Amino acid sequence: MKTFFTGLYRSFPVQLVFLHFRKYQVLLLFWYILTSAIAGGFMKTFGADSLFLSPEYLGNVNWLSAAIVGVAAGVFFMSWNITTFIAFSKYFKFLATTSKPFLKYCINNGIIPFLFLIFYFVCAVRFNVYKELMSTGEVVFLCIGFLGGLITFLLFSFVYFFGANKTIVRQMAPAMNDPSQLLEKQAAPQTWGPGLINVEWYLSTRLKLRKPRNVFHYSKSFLDSIFKRHHFAAVIGILLSFLFLLITGFFLDYKVFQIPAAASIFIFFSILITAAGATTYWLGSWSVPFMVVAIFTFDLLFRYDIIDPRNRAFGLNYEKKMPRPAYNKESILQLASLENMKQDKEKMLTVLNNWKQKQDEEKPVMYVINLSGGGNRSACFAMNVLQHLDSVTHGNLMKKTFLITGASGGMLSAAYFRELYLQNQKGQKNNLQNHSLPDNISKDLLNPLFSSFVGRDLIAPADKFSVGPYRYIKDRAYAFEEQLNDNVGGIFNKQIKDYIKDESEADIPLIIFNSTITRDGRKMMISTQPISFMMRPQPDTVNGIYGEPDAVDFCAFFKDQNPYNLRLITALRINATFPYVLPNVWLPSEPVIDVMDAGLRDNYGQESSLRFLDVFKDWLKENTSAVVQIQIRDRKNGEWQNDFGNPSIFQIFTKPATILQFNWHKLSDYYQEELTAYASNSFPFSFKRIVFAYIPESEEKTAALNFHLTAREKKDIAESMHSKPNQQALQIVSSLEKEFQHIGSEIK
């Protein structure tokens, strides 16, 4: 038994596993991230597991989508093998004297990939049966597709290396025939590098045990020359993979090139692992100084506008010849002057009067809709709620709604529903109760996003497109916008200037798209109407109370940058700029500012709507019977989990740094509730708030917060509308409709 375990320990496969843990541990980090993501640990709340276990391609989850992910997994496996083969070859010189040394290395280096594959298939079967609700046959075809794609790529790779091996043997034939070149000179010392591994057995290409040959009688330079030739062949293989990505990057506008998100992640990790291995191997101890110099160089190029990787707001004028507005306290105060606020308020009163004229009652009820962020989860739930509300209001929801604000996914549904309603106003016949609407707005957005990130942002040279007279680089933000527009049938192919007339005449509700300015936390508010009165709390001139502006009117601030040329879908994307998944949007001010997700400041849009109601409280008192705030949330208030878990010694050091992160949403809820209480008590008109919240069947079945939903998650979200709290909220809306209709008839 002792002999067996000793032999097992000194076998080449086991020694390679230990070698990975002893040298270049950073390369194992990629395996850990992938395994954790598949297990539902890493980025669980963002649904990373679904991307790997149920990949989507061309709108379908089938054997083809799985096969593409299998091919990408093969790319990752080969990149890892090539990188570690180059880095570790000095520790197993005996392979140089065998045929097909790289193939033998891959076979003996297969423990980690093999365990990963077993774990992957176990997780994939469980996930697709219980979350995607697939049949046994469908799951089997997915597994076969993945395995088929993986094997196909590996066979293709090894065919390439077989050809490379024959070329190497042919080139080395003269040396093999001359024994004098194989022997080390007697005076030369035997220096074979560090003895980190002791190999007694290895697996041959036919999976048979073989003892390694003694190579001390071979010339060190001869063995190194063999490995260098294999290294060169491996590098050529990597370059071919990069060339393939470069070519596909030019054709990402075609859906056939928008591979599953998991495949993009595998390829992205392949690039990283190759770069990390190459830097460490070729530069050795100089790798860290090299990275510092490289970062410093890129920073200088960026500072002097030689390179600019930042994302832009598509439609805005970024030409340097145009004067850029100064972003400072003085300019913002000037924009929010009492005179400007008064003028913009008068213009909005005209819009309010237009809205009232279109109502059926003398003193109508006004709806204000607030929607929370939450990716596709929020988008799917919000659309379900809007459809139910439109039903109980007899198709008059948009007619009675004056203002819509919010963040991220919820706003995607609001803009979609409003546009369909507008088309109906202009003669088209869209069924607002169509069951396909929630599915349309929550279709996958991650595949084109990650494909573009790998194929364009990292690899391919900049390709450009036009919005009016301006040109912009196609990046993952562009891919996101195009896919979203395609998901809703192309109806987002508009610019915000196309809504000026419809909103000013109150044919449709007014939408304010918010985002958060990262420089100081102010809100950037995009609206077709001038809204300087929304930039700060209403000044109390009698008591001398003047609040500092905490928001910026986008169109007023960038009046010289053609702000109304901004694409509608860009405004939606800016509102939903999920950190890191989508790039922050930089704006042409002086100094430059950038904006990100509205949820960072006001995840429900409630702060904006309450300020609006406060500004026009006198008009609302005289002209409405009540104002109903409808809040659509992607989770119940007060149900945030405590992510700290059981106390540990590490929390003594980590809690001060993470306390805000884990309690961000709780603090937001506390603030929102307090704000609502103060506002409702001070309003001189009748004010009611009705809340709809996504309530999952169980905590384990909660839909992920990302731009991809599984079949079970969509089903769970739809069924959430039948929960007791949401049904009660619908009944309240229905009863209010009857009550306000009765009041309206009495006034008449």
Side-chain angles (χ1 to χ4, degrees):
M1 186 66 67
K2 179 181 178 181
T3 303
F4 171 79
F5 282 108
T6 301
L8 179 64
Y9 172 75
R10 292 179 178 176
S11 65
F12 194 27
V14 173
Q15 287 291 301
L16 279 176
V17 172
F18 285 114
L19 185 60
H20 287 304
F21 281 93
R22 298 173 69 178
K23 301 287 290 184
Y24 307 120
Q25 296 86 352
V26 67
L27 300 182
L28 292 175
L29 181 64
F30 298 100
W31 289 103
Y32 171 77
I33 294 175
L34 290 172
T35 303
S36 178
I38 291 170
F42 181 72
M43 297 185 73
K44 176 182 179 180
T45 56
F46 304 123
D49 54 346
S50 66
L51 301 180
F52 289 93
L53 304 176
S54 186
E56 186 173 319
Y57 178 63
L58 298 178
N60 299 306
V61 178
N62 51 32
W63 68 270
L64 179 59
S65 62
I68 295 174
V69 176
V71 170
V75 174
F76 175 74
F77 288 1
M78 290 304 298
S79 296
W80 184 67
N81 278 319
I82 290 171
T83 301
T84 54
F85 177 71
I86 294 174
F88 295 157
S89 58
K90 62 184 177 181
Y91 300 111
F92 38 82
K93 297 288 187 179
F94 67 89
L95 280 186
T97 64
T98 66
S99 62
K100 306 180 183 67
F102 181 68
L103 176 59
K104 287 185 174 64
Y105 173 80
C106 291
I107 292 173
N108 287 272
N109 196 38
I111 291 182
I112 293 177
F114 179 75
L115 293 177
F116 175 83
L117 286 176
I118 296 298
F119 180 75
Y120 175 86
F121 285 123
V122 171
C123 292
V125 171
R126 293 180 58 187
F127 182 89
N128 287 297
V129 169
Y130 294 107
K131 291 194 175 183
E132 287 291 357
L133 309 178
M134 291 184 180
S135 65
T136 303
E138 290 174 320
V139 175
V140 170
F141 272 106
L142 279 183
C143 294
I144 292 175
F146 181 92
L147 198 58
L150 175 66
I151 293 175
T152 299
F153 182 83
L154 293 181
L155 289 176
F156 176 82
S157 300
F158 287 129
V159 166
Y160 163 75
F161 279 103
F162 290 162
N165 186 75
K166 291 180 180 179
T167 302
I168 293 171
V169 171
R170 185 167 58 251
Q171 292 174 347
M172 297 299 296
M176 298 292 292
N177 295 327
D178 185 0
S180 64
Q181 297 186 34
L182 305 180
L183 299 176
E184 192 74 58
K185 293 182 179 180
Q186 296 299 322
Q190 296 288 336
T191 56
W192 296 98
L196 286 182
I197 64 175
N198 184 4
V199 177
E200 294 184 358
W201 303 94
Y202 71 94
L203 291 173
S204 68
T205 53
R206 296 184 179 182
L207 302 182
K208 293 184 178 180
L209 293 178
R210 293 285 187 269
K211 281 185 171 293
R213 294 175 61 185
N214 191 330
V215 296
F216 279 91
H217 59 286
Y218 285 105
S219 165
K220 180 177 181 296
S221 60
F222 171 75
L223 296 177
D224 287 342
S225 66
I226 295 178
F227 276 121
K228 286 180 180 179
R229 284 173 168 80
H230 283 284
H231 294 171
F232 180 76
V235 171
I236 293 298
I238 295 174
L239 292 178
L240 290 175
S241 300
F242 273 87
L243 181 61
F244 171 77
L245 292 175
L246 183 66
I247 294 174
T248 57
F250 284 104
F251 299 98
L252 281 178
D253 288 337
Y254 300 95
K255 290 187 176 297
V256 69
F257 289 97
Q258 295 175 6
I259 61 178
S264 298
I265 295 173
F266 270 123
I267 295 174
F268 175 55
F269 276 19
S270 301
I271 296 172
L272 292 181
I273 204 170
T274 303
T279 302
T280 304
Y281 177 79
W282 295 110
L283 298 178
S285 61
W286 287 94
S287 57
V288 174
F290 172 79
M291 293 301 298
V292 172
V293 172
I295 293 173
F296 181 75
T297 302
F298 279 112
D299 182 64
L300 285 179
L301 295 175
F302 174 74
R303 288 176 180 272
Y304 289 96
D305 290 331
I306 299 175
I307 60 172
D308 191 355
R310 297 175 295 187
N311 176 261
R312 306 187 180 196
F314 303 144
L316 205 60
N317 184 0
Y318 284 80
E319 295 177 357
K320 296 180 180 180
K321 62 182 180 181
M322 295 299 299
R324 294 185 174 182
Y327 188 83
N328 53 47
K329 185 176 181 179
E330 291 73 22
S331 63
I332 295 174
L333 280 172
Q334 183 178 359
L335 204 62
S337 66
L338 294 179
E339 181 180 357
N340 287 342
M341 294 174 69
K342 181 179 179 181
Q343 290 177 357
D344 292 353
K345 183 178 178 180
E346 291 297 324
K347 293 178 182 177
M348 188 57 67
L349 285 172
T350 302
V351 180
L352 285 166
N353 289 323
N354 290 338
W355 172 86
K356 182 183 177 183
Q357 291 174 7
K358 289 180 168 56
Q359 306 306 308
D360 299 325
E361 299 86 14
E362 180 67 23
K363 296 189 70 174
V365 58
M366 174 185 286
Y367 288 108
V368 174
I369 300 178
N370 299 150
L371 307 103
S372 79
N376 279 10
R377 176 179 71 190
S378 182
C380 186
F381 179 70
M383 182 56 72
N384 278 282
V385 175
L386 291 173
Q387 288 183 310
H388 280 79
L389 287 172
D390 193 61
S391 178
V392 299
T393 58
H394 310 290
N396 292 319
L397 176 64
M398 290 291 99
K399 179 180 178 181
K400 294 185 175 184
T401 301
F402 183 81
L403 176 66
I404 299 175
T405 63
S408 193
M411 290 295 287
L412 301 183
S413 283
Y416 183 29
F417 195 84
R418 186 186 74 157
E419 177 59 31
L420 292 174
Y421 173 80
L422 176 61
Q423 290 184 356
N424 287 350
Q425 297 297 103
K426 296 185 176 181
Q428 297 189 30
K429 295 182 179 180
N430 295 305
N431 181 9
L432 297 182
Q433 298 301 317
N434 194 318
H435 295 297
S436 67
L437 299 187
D439 184 64
N440 291 344
I441 198 61
S442 59
K443 286 181 179 178
D444 175 74
L445 292 169
L446 285 183
N447 286 330
L449 195 153
F450 276 98
S451 297
S452 182
F453 176 67
V454 175
R456 282 188 175 138
D457 295 20
L458 296 179
I459 304 297
D463 190 14
K464 294 188 176 182
F465 72 105
S466 298
V467 179
Y470 314 122
R471 300 276 290 169
Y472 306 93
I473 294 176
K474 293 180 179 180
D475 56 7
R476 68 184 187 277
Y478 169 80
F480 175 88
E481 293 185 14
E482 292 301 300
Q483 183 62 51
L484 176 59
N485 191 36
D486 183 71
N487 289 350
V488 297
I491 67 173
F492 283 159
N493 191 25
K494 286 187 171 183
Q495 293 157 288
I496 62 173
K497 62 185 177 184
D498 297 324
Y499 291 95
I500 295 176
K501 182 176 181 294
D502 295 314
E503 288 191 354
S504 63
E505 295 181 358
D507 291 328
I508 55 175
L510 174 71
I511 286 186
I512 298 178
F513 299 101
N514 292 326
S515 57
T516 306
I517 302 173
T518 60
R519 177 177 288 268
D520 52 24
R522 286 188 172 96
K523 284 190 291 188
M524 182 64 72
M525 311 179 77
I526 303 175
S527 172
T528 63
Q529 310 301 312
I531 51 173
S532 62
F533 55 82
M534 294 285 289
M535 290 180 58
R536 59 173 171 168
Q538 298 305 294
D540 186 346
T541 56
V542 176
N543 296 311
I545 299 175
Y546 297 88
E548 181 181 346
D550 61 355
V552 178
D553 182 350
F554 175 85
C555 291
F557 187 73
F558 292 106
K559 63 182 185 301
D560 296 326
Q561 276 68 40
N562 199 2
Y564 295 103
N565 191 60
L566 185 74
R567 299 208 307 180
L568 166 68
I569 201 166
T570 298
L572 285 167
R573 191 249 306 174
I574 293 174
N575 183 263
T577 302
F578 205 86
Y580 297 109
V581 176
L582 285 168
N584 286 11
V585 181
W586 80 277
L587 300 172
S589 60
E590 186 60 46
V592 168
I593 58 173
D594 64 290
V595 294
M596 60 183 297
D597 200 291
L600 184 65
R601 168 73 184 272
D602 182 12
N603 194 46
Y604 308 105
Q606 184 168 268
E607 180 183 327
S608 299
S609 62
L610 292 179
R611 179 171 294 182
F612 184 92
L613 297 179
D614 182 60
V615 173
F616 298 101
K617 57 188 175 185
D618 295 333
W619 186 93
L620 294 170
K621 177 183 178 182
E622 296 296 326
N623 295 277
T624 65
S625 57
V627 174
V628 178
Q629 179 196 33
I630 297 177
Q631 187 179 82
I632 304 174
R633 306 169 55 108
D634 72 324
R635 69 185 75 203
K636 289 180 65 176
N637 187 15
E639 289 200 349
W640 298 95
Q641 297 179 357
N642 186 349
D643 296 314
F644 281 112
N646 296 324
S648 67
I649 190 66
F650 297 104
Q651 289 187 12
I652 297 176
F653 304 100
T654 61
K655 185 175 286 188
T658 58
I659 186 70
L660 184 60
Q661 172 190 348
F662 287 115
N663 290 290
W664 183 269
H665 294 288
K666 297 177 185 178
L667 295 174
S668 178
D669 280 347
Y670 301 152
Y671 165 71
Q672 296 281 348
E673 291 301 312
E674 183 179 29
L675 183 65
T676 302
Y678 284 140
S680 59
N681 291 330
S682 63
F683 286 155
F685 52 85
S686 176
F687 176 78
K688 299 180 183 296
R689 185 177 74 154
I690 303 174
V691 178
F692 293 87
Y694 163 52
I695 305 173
E697 181 181 343
S698 63
E699 183 179 330
E700 293 75 19
K701 296 181 180 179
T702 302
L705 194 158
N706 71 352
F707 290 118
H708 179 94
L709 294 176
T710 66
R712 180 177 287 277
E713 287 172 343
K714 291 182 180 181
K715 181 181 179 182
D716 184 60
I717 291 171
E719 292 176 348
S720 178
M721 276 304 301
H722 301 294
S723 65
K724 185 176 180 180
N726 288 329
Q727 286 299 306
Q728 290 175 343
L730 274 178
Q731 291 176 5
I732 293 173
V733 174
S734 181
S735 61
L736 287 177
E737 280 289 306
K738 297 177 181 178
E739 176 186 343
F740 293 138
Q741 286 177 1
H742 177 69
I743 294 174
S745 61
E746 286 185 345
I747 294 175
K748 286 184 178 180

